[in-house]
Amino acid sequence: MRICVLPLAFALLSTFDVHAEEGASLAQASSIPHPAVIAHRGASFDAPESTTPAYLLARELGADYLEMDLQRTRDDVLVVVHDDVLTRTSDVAQRFPGRENKPVSDFTLAELKSLDAGSWFNQAYPQRARKAFAGQRILTLDEVIDIAEGDPDRRPGLYIETKVPGQFPGIERQLKARLQARGWLDQPGRVILQTFDRNSLALLHEEMPQVPKILLLWVGKGSIEPKSGQDFADSGEQDKAAFYARQAPKDTQEFLRWLDAAKAAGAIGTGPSARRSDLGEQSYADLIQPWMNQASHARGLLVHAYTLDAPEDFAKAMAAGVDGLFTNRAGQLLRFYNRPAVPEEAQVLDRLGY
Ligand code: G3P
Ligand code: CA
């Protein structure tokens, strides 16, 4: 019995090592750190998402990339905002009554800059609130680049998502122009482009063929077809997040079809959703099962999964063979990877004057 078990254990171990090595060499080929620490909307567990303190904190903790969602103002400036509308993360309803449900593109930069993008965080998370978060401003792409360039000892890259790109024709070309003007297109692996939208992926590839690109994956309309065959709108369910969290790809072929589509459109990897232990039924579909990651690596595609914050989830994802993680808790993930000299979040925020 013992004679059988030990070789099996070694065989499993070496299979795992082979897949980890495959991912590492794919990352190396694109000059991408492995495993990559991607600070999702900055260090957004500890500071208001997509604001200066969130990005400064992510940089000072040592994150590999500052993640951001790109949109455009009415007067054509590239800004960093996640949601289509501003109600969740600002005082837009008080500042612009009657326009609160308008999209980001309805506002000029001056109007967006007049919003308080920090007080909502203090109200939502009183245990992590800081007075200086109140009155934080929405940032432009250039301001996030300034932060990425602002400390010679910490040089995070940029991980940029074209958000709802159908609303912003030409945003891919405009992004290229800004990155080029700032000298970010000549530095291998320092910028990664990401999108859920296959059309935007193709346009990003056309504009910036040399820049690594990731196709984000989820199960639902416009992405992987669900086994349930249902869309939320037709499901009769009340809880959107719970509905989507329960979805799974229709079948193996449907998942593989999306990998092939990513590859064909010029992506060097995918960004699949991952299940979160801390969100219960509000989690995301599990698209990082070992066979999925192996199939990605077999096609020469890296896997950067979103968005995990708990050490037990980090461990599961790494064991399943992913090559990097989007996280709201960059410090926690850096410590999990045993990266050297990761400071405490509260101390960094104190030092930065927040
Ligand atoms: O960009 C990766 C992850 O951020 C995708 O989800 O909705 O947080 O942009 P979301
Ligand atoms: Ca994003």
Side-chain angles (χ1 to χ4, degrees):
M1 199 58 189
R2 249 181 113 180
I3 293 167
C4 293
V5 168
L6 280 174
L8 178 63
F10 283 123
L12 287 174
L13 188 65
S14 58
T15 306
F16 173 73
D17 284 348
V18 165
H19 290 297
E21 256 175 52
E22 275 173 2
S25 51
L26 289 169
Q28 195 177 23
S30 294
S31 304
I32 293 170
H34 189 277
V37 175
I38 306 155
H40 185 244
R41 309 179 204 168
S44 57
F45 180 84
D46 290 285
E49 66 182 58
S50 312
T51 63
T52 299
Y55 286 120
L56 284 176
L57 177 57
R59 182 189 77 191
E60 294 305 299
L61 289 167
D64 296 318
Y65 293 98
L66 307 182
E67 196 265 351
M68 73 197 85
D69 305 286
L70 201 66
Q71 300 198 50
R72 189 164 66 201
T73 65
R74 196 168 80 207
D75 46 350
D76 283 337
V77 181
L78 296 178
V79 286
V80 174
V81 181
H82 177 268
D83 296 3
D84 288 12
V85 294
L86 298 149
T87 44
R88 182 179 61 88
T89 57
S90 82
D91 59 347
V92 67
Q94 289 78 53
R95 289 276 307 136
F96 299 104
R99 289 174 67 200
E100 62 267 32
N101 291 316
K102 295 284 186 188
V104 170
S105 58
D106 193 69
F107 295 84
T108 63
L109 181 64
E111 286 173 335
L112 290 184
K113 282 287 186 187
S114 74
L115 297 176
D116 173 352
S119 290
W120 72 272
F121 179 93
N122 287 348
Q123 282 151 25
Y125 308 109
Q127 65 284 23
R128 300 196 286 283
R130 288 176 178 246
K131 274 193 190 139
F133 290 162
Q136 286 300 316
R137 300 299 176 203
I138 285 173
L139 299 175
T140 63
L141 169 65
D142 274 286
E143 287 169 330
V144 181
I145 294 177
D146 291 341
I147 292 171
E149 293 175 344
D151 180 344
D153 298 326
R154 304 278 197 183
R155 306 271 298 153
L158 305 171
Y159 209 120
I160 307 172
E161 179 179 353
T162 50
K163 205 66 171 175
V164 285
Q167 281 183 26
F168 304 109
I171 197 167
E172 296 82 6
R173 179 164 293 186
Q174 192 177 355
L175 173 60
K176 177 194 178 177
R178 284 317 306 148
L179 291 173
Q180 206 157 37
R182 297 293 304 255
W184 275 73
L185 290 185
D186 314 321
Q187 308 175 47
R190 297 263 291 140
V191 180
I192 301 179
L193 306 171
Q194 45 157 347
T195 183
F196 283 102
D197 185 306
R198 281 168 67 177
N199 187 48
S200 187
L201 175 62
L203 292 169
L204 289 168
H205 194 55
E206 206 175 294
E207 294 294 340
M208 295 171 270
Q210 79 283 19
V211 177
K213 282 161 287 287
I214 293 284
L215 181 63
L216 299 168
L217 300 176
W218 68 296
V219 180
K221 210 171 187 169
S223 192
I224 298 171
E225 203 179 313
K227 193 177 270 178
S228 67
Q230 279 185 324
D231 187 38
F232 174 68
D234 316 319
S235 68
E237 298 213 20
Q238 302 299 314
D239 189 331
K240 197 170 182 178
F243 171 80
Y244 280 115
R246 280 201 314 278
Q247 301 306 306
K250 185 175 143 201
D251 53 30
T252 305
Q253 285 312 313
E254 172 63 4
F255 183 80
L256 298 179
R257 195 170 73 79
W258 277 83
L259 298 187
D260 293 335
K263 183 87 182 168
I268 57 100
T270 63
S273 61
R275 215 169 264 300
R276 283 176 62 138
S277 60
D278 53 342
L279 291 186
E281 64 167 22
Q282 300 285 319
S283 185
Y284 303 105
D286 176 10
L287 297 180
I288 57 164
Q289 295 164 47
W291 71 266
M292 296 171 163
N293 301 326
Q294 284 163 22
S296 300
H297 289 161
R299 286 162 174 75
L301 294 167
L302 278 175
V303 182
H304 287 167
Y306 68 89
T307 300
L308 299 179
D309 288 350
E312 66 192 275
D313 292 337
F314 301 157
K316 267 191 220 158
M318 294 317 295
V322 309
D323 304 302
L325 292 170
F326 293 80
T327 180
N328 303 306
R329 305 193 70 172
Q332 185 122 285
L333 182 56
L334 289 157
R335 287 178 207 108
F336 174 82
Y337 289 148
N338 289 319
R339 295 279 189 93
V342 182
E344 286 302 316
E345 286 82 346
Q347 283 171 9
V348 176
L349 286 169
D350 290 346
R351 175 167 64 75
L352 292 168
Y354 291 102

